[in-house]
Amino acid sequence: MLTPPPPGSARTLTRDESPEAPTEGGPPRLVVVFAPSSGDVGREVSPGELGREAEQTLPDARMSRRHVRFSVDGRQLFVTDLNSKNGTVVNGRRIAGPTALSANDVVRVGDTLLVADPPIPSAANGLGDDLKLVGQSSAMAELRAAVRQYARDRNPVVILGPTGTGKELVASALHNLSGRSGPWVPVNCATIAPRDLASSMLFGHERGAFTGASERRQGFVREADRGTLFLDELGELPLDAQALLLRALQERKVRSVGGQRDEQVDVRVLGATHAALGGDSPGVGFREDLWYRLATLQINVPPLSARRVDILALFAHFAHDLPPLDPATAEVLCGRAWSGNVRELQGAALRAEIHSRGGPRVLPEHLALPPDRTTSAEGGVGRPTIDEALRQTGGNRAQAAKLAGVDRSTVYRHLGRSGSAGEA
């Protein structure tokens, strides 16, 4: 059971912590991501009152009969606590009056967590998910729509997104929907050797073409004929290989090292990188003519902090043998900045699966999360995290709360109320 923090002003996530998705088409929608009854997860809450006996009800024992009101003014969504017993918390702070909600804000009402998510565009609404892309957020709906739109096009696609967001999964989905009969050939560009060996790795070589060429090799491009060549870490592609690849894309012909003639190839090229490599943001050592050829179509994969609605679903997807989440654990997961994105979340899920084995619930300490200076539920920007504050104060929870800029009950929730050593 969560202990409510004392009244204070709610803090909206900064752009560095949680980039706001556009609210085109209306105010954010409110999605239940955690509730005492799992059947309520995924439910959307409409403007109006929410409580155990309000216009909209949820079976949450820690929710007052008339707990909270959500209202809309123009395109802005507001939340107002109705003098509830346990309070209403936004991004780790108990609110004292009407509070504006932005995309990806996390709201706690009793033991129920809701996330403000942009409305799903009509063009992306209703699309089923046969792409193995987990999530019901607006950002994921738009991503699925882009994948479906570009899947059967022959042009190259560059997939942009921060490290750990799942760019290869998006590329794989493009291939699976493409209808192409050839294979999926993934290549990490950092493994392609420069100079003379680049041509051999890309286009293959004939037996005896050079010292050590004891057998014929296809090369990545010819191997992907009638299929898809996926170039991961595109910015790591050596300059020698870039020139060769550009010619192959333009002419759709390749010649192996030692070969006597050009061979026609039909290859769809997909690339992935964490940042644009051409135009106003040229990559170091990357040819702009190749960038413009590859980036004919672009898909942006959102960071995890821009799709908080999906965090708990992804956590459950990665950990298959878990006891129920403690409400405090769910709040920690939803409020963290996740600078390592989905890959970092996956690590937390696997640790929780090990550390919680045999226990009744998954507690915050089972996640074994490293310090995170931008965690939304752990103090303001520039303040130390709760873990750091506890270390600096020798485990004194009262002093740590003051140093981190949170109330003492938030420190207790962070520790999972496990009775960890330290002064009260």
Side-chain angles (χ1 to χ4, degrees), residues 167-169 171-172 175 182-192 201-202 217 219-221 223-224 227-233 267-272:
K167 295 185 289 294
E168 184 168 354
L169 280 176
S172 178
H175 171 72
W184 158 259
V185 181
V187 178
N188 188 314
C189 290
T191 66
I192 297 179
M201 296 182 76
L202 286 173
R217 176 175 173 171
F220 297 132
V221 174
E223 185 183 343
T228 303
L229 177 65
F230 173 57
L231 300 175
D232 198 9
E233 302 295 342
V267 177
R268 209 268 181 97
V269 178
L270 308 177

Side-chain angles (χ1 to χ4, degrees), residues 147-158 174 177-180 225-229 248-253 264-271 293-297:
V147 169
R148 293 182 185 281
Q149 182 180 8
Y150 295 158
R152 291 185 173 273
D153 196 286
R154 290 184 61 187
N155 285 300
V157 180
V158 167
L174 283 165
L177 286 183
S178 69
R180 300 182 69 81
D225 191 28
R226 293 193 295 272
T228 303
L229 177 65
L249 287 172
Q250 290 172 337
E251 300 181 5
R252 295 188 177 273
K253 293 179 181 180
Q264 196 80 27
V265 289
D266 175 16
V267 177
R268 209 268 181 97
V269 178
L270 308 177
R293 185 69 182 83
L294 289 173
T296 304
L297 303 173

Side-chain angles (χ1 to χ4, degrees), residues 386 390 396-398 400-402 404 406-417:
I386 290 175
L390 284 167
N396 187 304
R397 295 170 185 174
K402 185 176 181 180
V406 299
D407 56 274
R408 195 185 302 188
S409 62
T410 300
V411 176
Y412 279 96
R413 288 202 315 278
H414 177 78
L415 295 172
R417 303 179 307 285

Side-chain angles (χ1 to χ4, degrees), residues 110-337:
D111 279 343
T112 299
L113 292 178
L114 305 97
V115 173
D117 189 60
I120 297 176
S122 57
N125 206 358
L127 289 178
D129 186 15
D130 53 355
L131 307 179
K132 299 182 181 179
L133 301 175
V134 177
Q136 62 166 321
S137 64
S138 173
M140 288 304 291
E142 293 187 36
L143 179 62
R144 290 190 191 97
V147 169
R148 293 182 185 281
Q149 182 180 8
Y150 295 158
R152 291 185 173 273
D153 196 286
R154 290 184 61 187
N155 285 300
V157 180
V158 167
I159 302 160
L160 293 160
T163 299
T165 50
K167 295 185 289 294
E168 184 168 354
L169 280 176
V170 174
S172 178
L174 283 165
H175 171 72
N176 291 337
L177 286 183
S178 69
R180 300 182 69 81
S181 61
W184 158 259
V185 181
V187 178
N188 188 314
C189 290
T191 66
I192 297 179
R195 299 186 176 87
D196 297 339
L197 287 179
S199 182
S200 171
M201 296 182 76
L202 286 173
F203 310 133
H205 59 251
E206 303 301 317
R207 181 178 178 181
F210 51 84
T211 303
S214 57
E215 58 184 22
R216 188 174 186 269
R217 176 175 173 171
Q218 282 248 88
F220 297 132
V221 174
R222 290 198 299 175
E223 185 183 343
D225 191 28
R226 293 193 295 272
T228 303
L229 177 65
F230 173 57
L231 300 175
D232 198 9
E233 302 295 342
L234 194 55
E236 300 297 322
L237 190 65
L239 277 171
D240 303 281
Q242 291 178 35
L244 295 169
L245 182 62
L246 178 62
R247 179 177 178 274
L249 287 172
Q250 290 172 337
E251 300 181 5
R252 295 188 177 273
K253 293 179 181 180
V254 299
R255 179 179 296 192
S256 63
V257 176
Q260 300 301 310
R261 60 183 178 85
D262 291 340
E263 295 182 36
Q264 196 80 27
V265 289
D266 175 16
V267 177
R268 209 268 181 97
V269 178
L270 308 177
T273 176
H274 66 277
L277 301 173
D280 295 332
S281 305
V284 176
F286 201 91
R287 296 177 60 122
E288 286 201 350
D289 49 0
L290 176 60
W291 170 255
Y292 291 127
R293 185 69 182 83
L294 289 173
T296 304
L297 303 173
Q298 297 182 30
I299 293 178
N300 289 285
V301 184
L304 189 55
S305 58
R307 44 180 294 220
R308 293 187 184 276
V309 164
D310 302 330
I311 288 175
L312 296 185
L314 282 164
F315 186 83
H317 174 75
F318 291 131
H320 307 292
D321 186 21
L322 278 177
L325 288 183
D326 185 90
T329 308
E331 190 169 16
V332 168
L333 287 168
C334 289
R336 188 173 171 83

